[in-house]
């Protein structure tokens, strides 16, 4: 039961942070807010893994906060939207940067966490 409380608290704060970042979305058509939260989340989840965080702290930050802060489904939806709007450059740069930079940031977080 306590793990559910930790996940809920983390989820509450993660959702608020994501909302705050999403409100500052640029009007360029490029989904920079989603890219930002997913990059931050990839790095921080890698860091948690590198630090070997477990138990209630992982439930709070890893599952709760990061689970509501980052978003794979929005990444996919925004990709489909760019594709439907025939914004090829934005579509390909969004997908390529999301996955490539996201994986690199996750590894950077893991390496940093492993050295602390």
């Amino acid at each position: 039961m306590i793990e559910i409380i930790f996940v809920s608290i983390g989820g509450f704060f993660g959702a608020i942070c994501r909302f705050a970042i999403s409100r500052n979305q640029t009007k360029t058509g490029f989904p920079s807010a989603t890219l930002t939260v997913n990059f931050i989340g990839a790095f921080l989840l890698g860091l948690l893994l590198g630090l070997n965080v477990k138990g209630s702290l992982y439930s709070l930050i890893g599952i709760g906060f990061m689970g509501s802060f980052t978003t794979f489904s929005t990444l996919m939806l925004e990709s489909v939207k760019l594709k439907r709007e025939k914004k090829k450059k934005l579509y390909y740069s969004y997908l390529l940067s999301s996955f490539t930079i996201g994986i690199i940031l996750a590894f950077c977080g893991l390496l940093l966490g492993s050295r602390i």
Side-chain angles (χ1 to χ4, degrees), residues 17-41 69-71 74-75 78-79 81-82 87 90-91 93-95 97-98 101 105:
C17 289
R18 178 165 174 233
F19 176 75
I21 291 172
S22 295
R23 290 192 63 174
N24 295 320
Q25 174 84 29
T26 62
K27 304 296 182 210
T28 64
F30 190 78
S32 59
T34 303
L35 199 63
T36 300
V37 297
N38 286 339
F39 283 171
I40 293 168
F69 182 66
T70 62
T71 175
T74 302
L75 183 147
E78 289 171 344
S79 297
K81 184 179 173 189
L82 290 171
K87 296 180 178 178
L90 289 178
Y91 170 76
S93 64
Y94 183 52
L95 283 179
S97 62
S98 290
I101 297 170
L105 287 170

Side-chain angles (χ1 to χ4, degrees), residues 42-53 106 109-110 112-114 116:
F43 177 79
L44 291 177
L45 281 172
L47 184 64
L48 289 177
L49 180 64
L51 292 170
N52 202 26
V53 173
L110 175 67
L112 178 64
S114 298
I116 294 176

